[in-house]
Amino acid sequence: MTETNIPWYKTKPKYHESIIQWFLFICAAVSVFVTLGIIFILGKESLLFFREVSIIEFLTSTKWQPLIEEFGVLPLLNSTLTTSFIAMAVAAPLGLFVAIYLSEYASERVRNILKPILEILAGIPTVVYGYFALTFMTPLLRLIFGQNTVDIYNTASAGLVMGILILPLVTSITEDALKAVPYSLREASYGLGATKLEASLTVVVPAAFSGIAAAFILGLSRAIGETMIVALAAGAGPNFTFNPFEAAETLTGYIVRISGGDISYNTVDYNSIFALGLLLFFITLTLNIISRKLVKRFQEVYD
Amino acid sequence: MSNFNDNIKKRYTVSNLWNIIFTFATIVAVFMLFLLLMNIINGAFGYVAIQNTIEPTEIISSGNLDELDESQLIEILESNLSKGLIRRYNFENPLIDRSKTEIMSLVFERIIEPRVVKSWNLKESILGRNAIIEYTGREYPNAHLQFRSWLNPQFLIGSQASVPELAGIRTAILGSMMIILLTIAFAFPIGVGAAIYLKEYATDNKFTRFIQVNIYNLSGVPSIIYGLLGLAVFVRGMEPFTSGAMFGYGDPSTANGRTILAAGMTLALLILPIIIINAQEALRAVPQTMRHAGYGIGATKWQTIWSHVLPHSMDRIMTGTILAVSRAIGETAPIVVIGASTFISVDPSNIFSKFTTLPIQIYQWTSRPQPEFRNVAAAAILVLLVMLLTMNGFAIFTRNKISKNRRSN
């Protein structure tokens, strides 16, 4: 074969094209390394921690007092769940109602005003919500229920404000789910003589159920990982209590308080925050995966 | 039949009732935003009772310092302040050479030392003015009342201080800005590069799908976990690099990885998934015809991307990036884990400096027991919110403009 037979466009090998492609591929792979990094770091430090502390004690003891070597995660986990469920008690109904209003009732003009407002609410840093909880919600609760019942730091206040924080998230995903329900379903129910409410509640909401569930689960996951509100308003010091008016430190609150105090490396204290981080990571990851699966399901049905 | 009509009436009543409930829920949500903003404004302004540590009347019987001349004022300074402090002032600029106003302000700051002994919020200041005046007269007979905006020029340019009325946020703003610039420098190229790979190059195989799922999951990881990652990898693992000891900054023996560089890299990892997701959306919005046009004139894949796809989607990519960056600015938890600095009054000079940021300051001031620091925190929140709203507003405005332009085309 002579050289002239090679087509003209093959004469110039384009090395830089493949170099660029490799570079872009590495960029995409960075995200995988981040995940591996998180798992490796949390796993490694947790292993060191569980060499000192038995995993059974960690999961069952109701005392977290590092000073006397008591490492039971239950008090921290309990207050994390308390604040998160209070938050969901606010955000789930309110978010669902607002989403129904936006998707079924509101006119285009009203929606164009309301959606940016919700976006602003979503863009406010969490530390500002923490300030709000401490300077507004807590005094309000103390005014309503009495100074003696409600501590200065309490999980109820943190949870309520957290509900406002995750409200925009829950609303926007729920609204997307409701919007994805084909209009023909609504028309069919109107055709049967349903009122607007009946069409919304008996047809649209059940049809969008998996999407709504996904929104709630994602909201719960966000609430569990939320840090600054609980660090400011829920109080310092682990406390195993089911009373939302008492101070009780959450998983995230404990991590931020301990790491904020310039701890020294290779101590049980240092390792313990990674063990708590691992627990937190697993909980939120599981919830996110479930939520993702649910979202996929409603997308598959109607796309 | 009448039963049926009654039933219809009832159904419509219920329907209307729920309509009101849905509307009410929406109003509540909007009202929360209003309440939040009002609460902050409420804290940032209001009356303060100011009491002098040493009354001017103790220095001069008439109480009017203007009557004194310069040498007398210097004498007062020398007799009231420690020798070391006087020596330092003389070293900076000899007291005798200074103007009278300068000396006067020194006397004011150092000897008379007006301090806020009690502060009130805006609501109390407007509604209970008389009660405040009466209370101050009773509790602090020597104090005088003054309406104070905690957000003032001195607050913006002042450095950290241990007393609330002198505290400023210059150091924090500088720290925030340097960290954000680093964050953008790391996250933007990598994020956009990853998005280009995933949307333009990658074929739909198992590995690509794995990366996509992985990015989605990363975007849901709590920010404090990124703080732990940064603490273990950037602060501790890469200490010689992040502390700058590798490049001859600082003393290697006191090397500390808790620097702006470490914080910038951590936040970059935090917003990376968001940037990738947004940039992918932007690339998806580029019509396929654009790419065909590029290939049609004989461009290679990268040439097509560089000259057709990227320019067409850049505005959307920027909008998504601004939204991601504005999240990084307000992020507190990972920075507290990384930074762990308690009191920093020195401006950051380079990326290997220790730092404080605006959200950290807000966190620390809010968690102090003295109520005056809450006022300072409120003022700092106002600054932070103005910064964020400007950025978000700009991004949302651009987005709306884009979608309008595209529609009219």
Side-chain angles (χ1 to χ4, degrees):
Chain A
M1 211 196 265
T2 60
E3 223 173 282
T4 47
N5 280 348
I6 300 172
W8 60 269
Y9 54 83
K10 276 196 180 163
T11 50
K12 238 169 131 190
K14 298 181 183 74
Y15 294 120
H16 65 279
E17 285 282 324
S18 54
I19 291 172
I20 288 170
Q21 186 171 347
W22 271 104
F23 172 74
L24 295 175
F25 173 75
I26 291 166
C27 287
V30 166
S31 67
V32 179
F33 289 126
V34 175
T35 311
L36 291 179
I38 290 175
I39 294 171
F40 174 74
I41 292 293
L42 293 180
K44 190 187 111 191
E45 303 288 345
S46 302
L47 264 181
L48 293 174
F49 174 75
F50 286 121
R51 235 179 248 169
E52 309 278 328
V53 182
S54 87
I55 197 157
I56 295 163
E57 187 206 325
F58 180 71
L59 290 176
T60 55
S61 164
T62 57
K63 268 194 191 133
W64 183 277
Q65 282 160 327
L67 281 179
I68 54 166
E69 310 245 318
E70 292 264 18
F71 291 98
V73 78
L74 286 182
L76 299 173
L77 192 61
N78 177 55
S79 48
T80 290
L81 294 179
T82 311
T83 50
S84 305
F85 281 122
I86 294 173
M88 284 316 288
V90 174
L94 212 53
L96 182 63
F97 290 171
V98 175
I100 293 178
Y101 179 76
L102 284 178
S103 132
E104 308 296 314
Y105 287 81
S107 66
E108 185 75 20
R109 245 187 69 212
V110 174
R111 198 164 35 231
N112 283 345
I113 301 169
L114 286 177
K115 290 215 76 166
I117 291 179
L118 287 176
E119 276 183 62
I120 293 175
L121 209 50
I124 291 175
T126 55
V127 68
V128 178
Y129 282 98
Y131 175 87
F132 182 64
L134 199 59
T135 60
F136 180 83
M137 200 53 89
T138 305
L140 186 69
L141 287 178
R142 299 190 84 185
L143 195 71
I144 296 172
F145 297 102
Q147 308 271 336
N148 299 327
T149 351
V150 186
D151 290 355
I152 295 182
Y153 299 103
N154 62 76
T155 46
S157 156
L160 289 173
V161 173
M162 218 189 287
I164 304 171
L165 169 81
I166 56 176
L167 176 66
L169 178 84
V170 173
T171 305
S172 83
I173 301 177
T174 307
E175 199 210 336
D176 284 347
L178 294 175
K179 277 260 178 67
V181 175
Y183 210 75
S184 54
L185 286 185
R186 295 182 182 87
E187 279 166 347
S189 72
Y190 291 143
L192 290 172
T195 61
K196 188 135 202 167
L197 175 80
E198 286 160 351
S200 305
L201 287 192
T202 58
V203 176
V204 182
V205 169
F209 179 76
S210 58
I212 296 170
F216 287 2
I217 291 171
L218 203 64
L220 183 64
S221 148
R222 173 71 71 82
I224 287 174
E226 172 43 44
T227 311
M228 293 324 290
I229 296 175
V230 289
L232 281 169
N239 180 9
F240 191 70
T241 173
F242 291 100
N243 181 356
F245 293 138
E246 275 183 39
E249 198 161 41
T250 66
L251 287 171
T252 49
Y254 179 79
I255 296 176
V256 102
R257 178 168 63 91
I258 294 302
S259 56
D262 220 350
I263 45 168
S264 41
Y265 306 139
N266 290 328
T267 56
V268 182
D269 268 357
Y270 177 81
N271 294 334
S272 74
I273 61 174
F274 286 87
L276 296 177
L278 187 68
L279 182 66
L280 199 61
F281 180 71
F282 266 124
I283 298 174
T284 52
L285 186 69
T286 316
L287 290 176
N288 287 347
I289 289 174
I290 296 174
S291 141
R292 173 90 170 155
K293 283 250 155 72
L294 287 170
V295 168
K296 264 209 168 143
R297 211 162 76 189
F298 91 77
Q299 275 173 344
E300 269 160 20
V301 173
Y302 296 115
D303 275 0
Chain B
M1 194 62 201
S2 71
N3 191 9
F4 178 74
N5 281 337
D6 283 352
N7 200 8
I8 282 200
K9 223 187 218 163
K10 214 160 100 197
R11 280 167 60 202
Y12 273 92
T13 318
V14 172
S15 186
N16 288 336
L17 192 71
W18 276 90
N19 189 351
I20 293 168
I21 292 176
F22 293 147
T23 317
F24 180 72
T26 314
I27 293 170
V28 167
V30 174
F31 184 65
M32 284 301 164
L33 178 67
F34 174 76
L35 217 54
L36 186 89
L37 296 179
M38 280 304 128
N39 179 50
I40 292 158
I41 291 172
N42 184 31
F45 305 93
Y47 276 111
V48 288
I50 294 177
Q51 189 160 8
N52 297 330
T53 314
I54 293 177
E55 287 298 325
T57 41
E58 288 174 35
I59 301 169
I60 175 171
S61 52
S62 71
N64 189 357
L65 290 171
D66 287 330
E67 287 170 14
L68 299 169
D69 61 25
E70 218 185 309
S71 56
Q72 280 171 306
L73 285 171
I74 292 176
E75 230 168 79
I76 293 166
L77 272 179
E78 280 170 348
S79 59
N80 279 288
L81 295 179
S82 72
K83 287 233 168 59
L85 201 59
I86 295 290
R87 212 176 300 134
R88 215 185 81 204
Y89 284 137
N90 274 322
F91 180 73
E92 282 168 7
N93 188 2
L95 288 174
I96 308 159
D97 294 351
R98 300 191 189 200
S99 67
K100 192 180 171 188
T101 33
E102 272 180 87
I103 301 283
M104 188 67 102
S105 65
L106 267 185
V107 172
F108 220 79
E109 265 173 40
R110 285 291 165 179
I111 301 172
I112 295 177
E113 277 193 320
R115 288 283 172 266
V116 171
V117 282
K118 174 106 179 124
S119 69
W120 287 270
N121 289 339
L122 188 60
K123 200 181 101 199
E124 299 162 329
S125 303
I126 292 172
L127 299 179
R129 194 161 172 268
N130 293 330
I132 291 174
I133 293 172
E134 194 236 342
Y135 177 87
T136 316
R138 196 176 37 178
E139 297 287 322
Y140 307 103
N142 295 327
H144 67 279
L145 269 180
Q146 189 188 334
F147 189 83
R148 180 180 170 101
S149 156
W150 291 89
L151 179 65
N152 52 42
Q154 204 269 325
F155 175 71
L156 291 177
I157 57 167
S159 65
Q160 265 248 55
S162 50
V163 277
E165 60 270 26
L166 295 180
I169 51 171
R170 187 190 66 226
T171 316
I173 289 182
L174 284 175
S176 275
M177 285 195 170
M178 287 177 76
I179 289 173
I180 285 310
L181 286 181
L182 270 181
T183 305
I184 297 173
F186 285 119
F188 183 70
I190 298 180
V192 176
I196 292 175
Y197 179 80
L198 291 170
K199 270 270 101 30
E200 306 290 326
Y201 285 95
T203 47
D204 186 31
N205 56 27
K206 255 196 178 149
F207 186 67
T208 313
R209 275 200 297 274
F210 170 69
I211 294 185
Q212 293 282 20
V213 170
N214 180 51
I215 288 170
Y216 176 82
N217 284 335
L218 273 184
S219 71
V221 171
S223 58
I224 194 163
I225 303 276
Y226 284 95
L228 291 177
L229 178 72
L231 176 66
V233 177
F234 299 136
V235 173
R236 196 183 168 196
M238 293 162 65
E239 192 157 60
F241 175 69
T242 45
S243 66
M246 218 162 98
F247 311 100
Y249 281 94
D251 184 7
S253 59
T254 58
N256 190 339
R258 299 182 185 276
T259 57
I260 286 184
L261 181 61
M265 292 201 287
T266 309
L267 285 189
L269 295 188
L270 174 71
I271 64 167
L272 190 61
I274 312 172
I275 291 188
I276 298 178
I277 291 171
N278 288 339
Q280 283 195 66
E281 287 294 323
L283 292 174
R284 197 171 291 137
V286 177
Q288 203 60 30
T289 49
M290 277 285 184
R291 298 185 181 87
H292 291 161
Y295 297 136
I297 53 172
T300 61
K301 186 146 201 162
W302 175 247
Q303 282 167 339
T304 308
I305 292 169
W306 185 252
S307 62
H308 286 67
V309 178
L310 275 185
H312 195 81
S313 56
M314 208 23 111
D315 42 9
R316 280 171 203 268
I317 294 179
M318 292 311 281
T319 318
T321 309
I322 292 174
L323 290 177
V325 167
S326 70
R327 170 158 175 214
I329 292 182
E331 206 49 80
T332 321
I335 297 287
V336 173
V337 175
I338 300 279
S341 5
T342 41
F343 189 87
I344 297 217
S345 56
V346 193
D347 288 347
S349 55
N350 55 44
I351 56 172
F352 304 119
S353 308
K354 286 188 172 188
F355 65 93
T356 179
T357 68
L358 212 41
I360 289 193
Q361 282 311 315
I362 295 169
Y363 169 52
Q364 284 178 352
W365 282 330
T366 308
S367 50
R368 298 238 185 134
Q370 303 98 310
E372 288 78 29
F373 275 110
R374 301 264 165 86
N375 299 118
V376 183
I381 289 175
L382 278 184
V383 176
L384 182 66
L385 286 187
V386 167
M387 267 166 76
L388 289 177
L389 283 187
T390 322
M391 284 181 70
N392 277 336
F394 179 74
I396 292 172
F397 174 74
T398 332
R399 190 183 61 199
N400 290 346
K401 219 173 96 184
I402 294 168
S403 56
K404 253 185 212 137
N405 281 348
R406 295 278 149 82
R407 234 179 286 150
S408 62
N409 278 348

